[in-house]
């Protein structure tokens, strides 16, 4: 893609993909495998597509998610489906993708199995790419979730989360586990998200705006209108 001709969000996606590729290359130069933690939603699609074009030894890259809706991978709401459609293509299909769901009926039933998968990955992650909602949530750490306090304080890597504002139950990495990365990125678009981030930066109550739990660590912000 010619960056001069690209729209701002496409440019942002390309720049983030290049930075992600470089982070993985740096870590793979000194270790056998490297872990990338991604977020779902609509914002990451151009980034995932651009990342798939990065020249990497993908067979040495592990990929997982910051959180997931407790749905089948064939469901349009599935973050795993998003990753498989937009990232795991071409040479990037060789990456080892680790999902956050099981065949169990509920995330509470699946937590133990997912925890074992997550703990087997190459921590600390090379990079965690976070998103943020208009309510200040990140991963499935929602302000109105009854598990928010647990998600912000537990040293368990994974927890189930139920949130009145969301139609599906979810499973999420804890704030503690998400902090276990060499690099953190926040990828957001739109003036509304920029306003929410500005409000988050002006206070420190993570229970009001959970993204605040990550503002104290070095956080690279990738934003476009």
């Amino acid at each position: 893609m010619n960056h001069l001709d690209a729209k701002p969000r496409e440019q942002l996606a390309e720049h983030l993909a290049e930075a992600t590729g470089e982070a993985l290359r740096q870590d793979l130069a000194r270790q056998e495998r490297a872990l990338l933690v991604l977020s779902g939603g609509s914002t990451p699609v151009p980034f995932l597509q651009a990342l798939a074009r990065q020249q990497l030894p993908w067979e040495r890259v592990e990929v997982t998610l910051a959180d997931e809706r407790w749905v089948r991978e064939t469901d349009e709401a599935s973050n795993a489906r998003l990753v498989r459609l937009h990232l795991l293509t071409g040479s990037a299909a060789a990456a080892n993708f680790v999902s956050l769901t099981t065949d169990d009926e509920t995330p509470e039933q699946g937590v133990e199995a997912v925890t074992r998968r997550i703990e087997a990955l190459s921590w600390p992650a090379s990079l965690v790419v976070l998103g943020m909602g208009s309510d200040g949530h990140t991963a499935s750490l929602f302000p109105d979730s009854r598990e928010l306090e647990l998600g912000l304080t537990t040293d368990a890597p994974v927890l189930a989360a139920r949130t009145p504002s969301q139609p599906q139950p979810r499973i999420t990495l804890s704030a503690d586990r998400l902090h276990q990365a060499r690099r953190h990125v926040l990828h957001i678009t739109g003036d509304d998200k920029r306003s929410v981030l500005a409000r988050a930066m002006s206070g420190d109550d993570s229970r009001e705006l959970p993204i605040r739990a990550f503002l104290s660590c070095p956080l690279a912000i990738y934003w476009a209108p």
Side-chain angles (χ1 to χ4, degrees):
M1 178 182 293
N2 184 336
H3 288 199
L4 295 176
D5 296 333
K7 297 177 181 178
R9 293 189 184 188
E10 293 170 344
Q11 284 184 309
L12 184 74
E14 290 287 343
H15 291 324
L16 180 52
E18 290 167 4
T20 301
E22 182 56 29
L24 290 168
R25 278 187 285 271
Q26 287 178 13
D27 289 349
L28 287 169
R30 60 176 182 256
Q31 62 194 60
E32 180 58 31
R33 303 188 68 80
L35 172 62
L36 173 64
V37 181
L38 298 171
S39 294
S42 58
T43 299
V45 170
F47 158 60
L48 296 177
Q49 293 170 341
L51 182 58
R53 296 191 291 269
Q54 285 287 307
Q55 298 301 307
L56 287 161
W58 283 104
E59 69 281 359
R60 296 169 57 201
V61 176
E62 299 168 343
V63 178
T64 195
L65 290 158
D67 70 320
E68 179 63 282
R69 298 171 183 87
W70 200 256
V71 295
R72 300 292 181 189
E73 282 196 21
T74 53
D75 193 299
E76 289 191 2
S78 167
N79 288 336
R81 179 178 182 271
L82 185 86
V83 170
R84 292 190 189 280
L85 280 176
H86 300 292
L87 174 61
L88 303 181
T89 62
S91 60
N96 174 32
F97 175 63
V98 176
S99 73
L100 298 185
T101 55
T102 67
D103 291 331
D104 294 293
E105 185 175 345
T106 69
E108 287 84 1
Q109 292 170 331
V111 159
E112 185 177 344
V114 175
T115 294
R116 287 195 296 269
R117 289 182 205 163
I118 293 302
E119 289 183 327
L121 295 175
S122 301
W123 299 95
S126 290
L127 178 67
V128 168
V129 182
L130 296 170
M132 183 188 70
S134 57
D135 58 357
H137 87 267
T138 192
S140 282
L141 304 173
F142 285 86
D144 63 333
S145 171
R146 67 188 188 193
E147 287 84 20
L148 177 60
E149 180 77 20
L150 178 63
L152 292 173
T153 59
T154 184
D155 58 3
V158 177
L159 65 148
R162 294 180 181 268
T163 304
S165 61
Q166 301 301 311
Q168 304 104 340
R170 295 178 176 235
I171 192 162
T172 185
L173 300 192
S174 64
D176 177 76
R177 182 55 54 140
L178 289 168
H179 276 120
Q180 293 180 32
R182 294 191 175 97
R183 308 164 188 86
H184 293 82
V185 161
L186 177 62
H187 181 199
I188 55 175
T189 56
D191 289 335
D192 58 332
K193 297 285 182 69
R194 184 173 63 173
S195 297
V196 173
L197 181 60
R199 186 157 64 92
M201 289 177 166
S202 68
D204 59 7
D205 184 358
S206 297
R207 289 153 187 80
E208 178 191 15
L209 297 171
I211 189 61
R212 286 173 172 156
F214 299 91
L215 298 182
S216 59
C217 62
L219 182 68
I221 297 169
Y222 281 72
W223 174 85

